Amino acid sequence: MASEFYIGKRLSFDERLCTVRYIGEVKGTKGTWLGVEWDDPIRGKHSGEHAGTRYFQCVRNHPTAGSFVRPTRKPDPSRSFVEALKAKYASEDFEDPDVEVVFVTKNDKKERLVQQNRPVRISGKEVEEVGFDKIRKQLAELSELKFVILDGLRMSRPVASRKESQNPSEWNGWPTGLKDVSDACPKVIELDLSRNLFEEWREVVSICEQLDKLKSLRVDGNRFRDTTLTETEKERARAAFRNIKAVKMEDNFLPWDQVAEVTNLFPQITSFVASSNFYTTLTDDILNSTITDLTFEENSFHSFSDLISLTKLPNLRRLVLKSNQISEVTNTDALPVFSPTLTELDLSYNEISSWAFIDKLVHIFPGLTSLRVSHNPLYNSLRAADGRALSAEDGYMLTLARLKNLKTLNYSPITDKERLNAESYYLSLIAREVTFAPRNQEEQILATHPRYKELCEEYGEPVIKREDNAVNPNSLAARLMRISFHQGKDDSGQLVGAPFEIEIPRSSTVYTVLGLVGKHYGFAPRRCKLIWETGDWMPATGASDSIDGDSASESGEDGENRTADKVKGESVMREVEIVPGTRSIGTWIDGREAFVRIEHS
C-alpha cells in the first residue's frame, strides 16, 4: 500500500475528485484509513478532525471538506490524454443524415454497395444541411480540433510523473520524442485541462510540448503537489510554452512563490488569471514581467499593500480585483504606486466605504483611465451635506468628478458633457457642505476635497451663504421636523383647544402622522384631513370685485370694519392639503417647522 498511496495522490470516487492528505489509523477503529480532501468541499463530513483529534489539515478552510475512506475502496480509473480526448469528442457512434446507404442483392445476399450524398434544396437551390450529427462528425475529426476542453475527465499522465519515493537527483525527466498528443490533435490553439488528476507540473509540460500552435492554456482546479522542475525540465517547459500568451490557474491553492515561478516558464505570457485561490497577501516573488492583463477575482485581499509585488510589473495594463475584501488603501506608511502603464482597474464588489479611498486612486494608479467600482458599500447610503439621500446616479457623477483622468466608468464612456455636469454638481455639493458647517471647520472640509481648488479655477469659486443658526446636516436635528397641529380658530380668531406639538423624522409617512394625530385627539385617522398652512400670502380670487359698488358706500363703524376686512382679504394664505398615503411627510412640507390644521368630519 505504501507504494500505491502517498500524501498528495489524486483520486476520484464516484466522479468526485479528492487529494490524499493522511494515511494511517484512526482512533477507535481498526485498520488503515486514507484521509482525503474533496475538491468539492460540501462532499465531505469533517475538516480532518475526528473525535477531538486532528489527523490532517485541509487546504480549503471548510468544515466538510474532508473524509476518511478505506484504501480497499476502488477509485474511478484514470484516463490518458488521448482517452479523454476520445471520450469527449468521439465517444458515440452516429449516422450522418446527409448520407444515403444503397444496398444491392448479390449472390442472394443484401450487401452495402455505395453511399450517396442526399442534397437538400430550398427554393430550387441546393444548400448544405448542418445538423447535430454532422457537427459531432466534424468534432470527431480529432486532427482538425483547434479548441479542446477536457475538464473533469479524470486525466493523468504517469509517463511524465516522478514517483514520490524516487530521489529527485535520480530523475532524468520524462521521455523525449513523445507523439501521442500531436498525432491525435496537432492543431490545438486553446486547451483546457481543468479539474483533473494531475499531480505534477511536468505532466502539463509533456502535453503542451507536442502542440506547436498552442496559445491559451487553462489548468483550473488541479491540485499540484509538485511544481518544481530541474533546469533541463525548465528549458523543455519554456520551449513547450513558447507561443502561449494566456494562462488561467484558478482554484489551484498553490503558494504564491510557486505561481510566480510557473509564470516565468511562459516567455510570451500577457494574460494571467489567479482567481479563487484564497490569497490574503502576496510575497515579494514577482510574476513574469511580460504580463499586461492580470485577474485576481474572489480572493481575500484587504488593501493595495497586500499586492505590493504587483507594483514591480512594468507592462501591466489591466488589473481585476473584483469580489475581494478591499476596504483600505494601505495598511503601512508607504503608499503603493503601480506602473503608469496600468489604465484599467476593476474594484467592483469590494468593501470600499469612503470617498477618501476614491481620491487616493489617482496617486496609486497614475495612469488610470478606466474604472469599475460599482457594488461597494460607499454607494449604498450616499447622503448630501444637508442630510438628503443621494442616488446611484449621484454616486456615479461624484466618482468621475473626483478622478479627472477617467475616460470610462463602470463600462460607460464619459462624455465631455457628463464631466462638465458632474464637476459642476460636485463643486455645488462642496459649497453646500461648507455652508452647513461652522466657520472653523471650513479648512478641514475643503481638505477632504483635493480637487476643490482645481475646480474653482475651472468653473469659478462658488458663493457660500452661511447661516449662523444652520443645523449640522449630520445631526439628528437635520432629520427631524417640528409640527404644531391645531383644530382651527373660532369667530374671535382664537385657536380651538391647545395645539399639539411633536417632533418626527422627515421620513415618516403621512399614514404614520395621521395615526399620531388621531391617537392624541381621539379621532379616527381616516376621518381626519391635514392642511399645511404655509405662511405664504397670495392674491385672493375676485378680491377687486368685493370692495367696489354698494358695499364701499356704506358708512358707520360697521361699514368701516367690513371695508378693512375686505382690504385685508385682498391676500389669502396658501394652504396645501396633505393627501394620506405612504409618501414621507418631508415631501409635502418645506423647512423644519410647520403649522398644520386638522379638519375632522
Side-chain angles (χ1 to χ4, degrees), residues 86-187:
K86 291 181 178 180
K88 178 67 177 287
Y89 294 103
S91 60
E92 299 178 13
D93 295 330
F94 58 86
E95 292 292 338
D96 193 331
D98 293 340
V99 174
E100 180 180 5
V101 181
V102 179
F103 293 92
V104 298
T105 301
K106 185 177 182 180
N107 298 327
D108 297 329
K109 292 182 179 180
K110 183 176 279 190
E111 296 181 358
R112 180 175 179 145
L113 180 62
V114 292
Q115 291 184 329
Q116 298 178 346
N117 288 333
R118 185 167 49 209
V120 177
R121 294 181 178 275
I122 299 177
S123 300
K125 295 182 179 181
E126 184 175 320
V127 298
E128 181 182 6
E129 182 182 9
V130 180
F132 179 79
D133 291 330
K134 188 163 187 177
I135 293 174
R136 182 172 297 179
K137 180 182 178 181
Q138 291 173 348
L139 292 178
E141 298 292 339
L142 303 182
S143 62
E144 298 297 320
L145 288 175
K146 295 183 178 181
F147 305 93
V148 173
I149 302 175
L150 301 177
D151 62 322
L153 292 176
R154 307 193 310 274
M155 194 180 354
S156 65
R157 195 162 177 78
V159 68
S161 178
R162 179 178 62 84
K163 294 181 180 179
E164 178 67 17
S165 60
Q166 189 172 359
N167 191 325
S169 62
E170 299 175 355
W171 169 253
N172 295 320
W174 63 94
T176 59
L178 296 175
K179 294 185 177 181
D180 56 319
V181 177
S182 59
D183 288 344
C185 52
K187 298 182 180 180

Side-chain angles (χ1 to χ4, degrees), residues 343-457:
T343 59
E344 298 182 42
L345 178 65
D346 189 341
L347 292 174
S348 57
Y349 295 95
N350 275 279
E351 301 298 329
I352 301 170
S353 59
S354 72
W355 286 114
F357 184 102
I358 302 297
D359 290 329
K360 291 180 182 178
L361 292 180
V362 295
H363 304 291
I364 302 172
F365 304 96
L368 185 64
T369 60
S370 178
L371 173 67
R372 189 185 181 204
V373 72
S374 56
H375 303 285
N376 274 279
L378 172 63
Y379 301 98
N380 295 338
S381 56
L382 288 174
R383 288 194 173 276
D386 55 2
R388 63 186 177 88
L390 299 179
S391 66
E393 180 64 23
D394 293 319
Y396 174 88
M397 295 177 66
L398 293 177
T399 301
L400 72 89
R402 288 171 179 266
L403 303 174
K404 64 178 180 179
N405 295 324
L406 278 191
K407 296 180 180 179
T408 303
L409 178 58
N410 296 337
Y411 298 134
S412 177
I414 299 170
T415 65
D416 292 340
K417 184 177 181 180
E418 282 182 318
R419 178 159 292 282
L420 173 63
N421 292 338
E423 291 178 345
S424 301
Y425 177 57
Y426 178 37
L427 192 58
S428 69
L429 289 186
I430 297 175
R432 192 168 182 82
E433 185 177 356
V434 173
T435 298
F436 281 95
R439 293 180 184 275
N440 59 1
Q441 294 184 12
E442 179 175 342
E443 185 176 349
Q444 180 181 352
I445 291 173
L446 295 181
T448 64
H449 301 284
R451 294 204 66 202
Y452 178 71
K453 291 184 178 180
E454 181 182 354
L455 293 177
C456 288
E457 293 175 358

Side-chain angles (χ1 to χ4, degrees), residues 322-585:
K322 176 182 177 182
S323 299
N324 276 267
Q325 300 171 25
I326 296 176
S327 60
E328 57 185 0
V329 171
T330 178
N331 53 23
T332 64
D333 295 334
L335 189 69
V337 179
F338 286 74
S339 169
T341 60
L342 196 155
T343 59
E344 298 182 42
L345 178 65
D346 189 341
L347 292 174
S348 57
Y349 295 95
N350 275 279
E351 301 298 329
I352 301 170
S353 59
S354 72
W355 286 114
F357 184 102
I358 302 297
D359 290 329
K360 291 180 182 178
L361 292 180
V362 295
H363 304 291
I364 302 172
F365 304 96
L368 185 64
T369 60
S370 178
L371 173 67
R372 189 185 181 204
V373 72
S374 56
H375 303 285
N376 274 279
L378 172 63
Y379 301 98
N380 295 338
S381 56
L382 288 174
R383 288 194 173 276
D386 55 2
R388 63 186 177 88
L390 299 179
S391 66
E393 180 64 23
D394 293 319
Y396 174 88
M397 295 177 66
L398 293 177
T399 301
L400 72 89
R402 288 171 179 266
L403 303 174
K404 64 178 180 179
N405 295 324
L406 278 191
K407 296 180 180 179
T408 303
L409 178 58
N410 296 337
Y411 298 134
S412 177
I414 299 170
T415 65
D416 292 340
K417 184 177 181 180
E418 282 182 318
R419 178 159 292 282
L420 173 63
N421 292 338
E423 291 178 345
S424 301
Y425 177 57
Y426 178 37
L427 192 58
S428 69
L429 289 186
I430 297 175
R432 192 168 182 82
E433 185 177 356
V434 173
T435 298
F436 281 95
R439 293 180 184 275
N440 59 1
Q441 294 184 12
E442 179 175 342
E443 185 176 349
Q444 180 181 352
I445 291 173
L446 295 181
T448 64
H449 301 284
R451 294 204 66 202
Y452 178 71
K453 291 184 178 180
E454 181 182 354
L455 293 177
C456 288
E457 293 175 358
E458 179 73 19
Y459 303 102
E461 188 171 349
V463 177
I464 298 175
K465 296 181 180 180
R466 181 178 283 103
E467 298 178 12
D468 294 333
N469 59 347
V471 177
N472 184 348
N474 297 316
S475 67
L476 178 61
R479 302 185 181 94
L480 295 179
M481 174 183 295
R482 177 181 293 276
I483 303 179
S484 295
F485 296 95
H486 65 88
Q487 301 182 64
K489 300 179 180 179
D490 56 22
D491 295 337
S492 62
Q494 300 298 317
L495 291 177
V496 177
F500 167 48
E501 291 190 356
I502 58 172
E503 277 191 329
I504 57 174
R506 296 179 61 87
S507 59
S508 300
T509 66
V510 178
Y511 282 146
T512 300
V513 176
L514 282 170
L516 294 173
V517 170
K519 182 178 181 181
H520 177 78
Y521 287 104
F523 298 153
R526 65 178 181 275
R527 302 184 65 181
C528 291
K529 181 186 294 187
L530 302 180
I531 307 296
W532 172 36
E533 298 176 342
T534 65
D536 297 332
W537 294 86
M538 56 188 297
T541 302
S544 59
D545 294 337
S546 65
I547 60 173
D548 291 335
D550 296 339
S551 60
S553 63
E554 295 181 12
S555 60
E557 184 177 353
D558 292 340
E560 291 176 356
N561 285 341
R562 282 196 297 272
T563 301
D565 288 341
K566 290 173 182 177
V567 171
K568 185 178 180 180
E570 289 182 358
S571 298
V572 295
M573 183 185 296
R574 183 173 67 89
E575 297 181 343
V576 176
E577 180 179 353
I578 302 174
V579 179
T582 57
R583 282 180 57 181
S584 63
I585 192 69

Side-chain angles (χ1 to χ4, degrees), residues 3 26 29 81 89 143 199 306 309 334 366 412 421 426 462 499 535 548:
S3 61
V26 176
T29 66
F81 179 91
Y89 294 103
S143 62
E199 299 175 10
D306 299 330
S309 64
S412 177
N421 292 338
Y426 178 37
D548 291 335

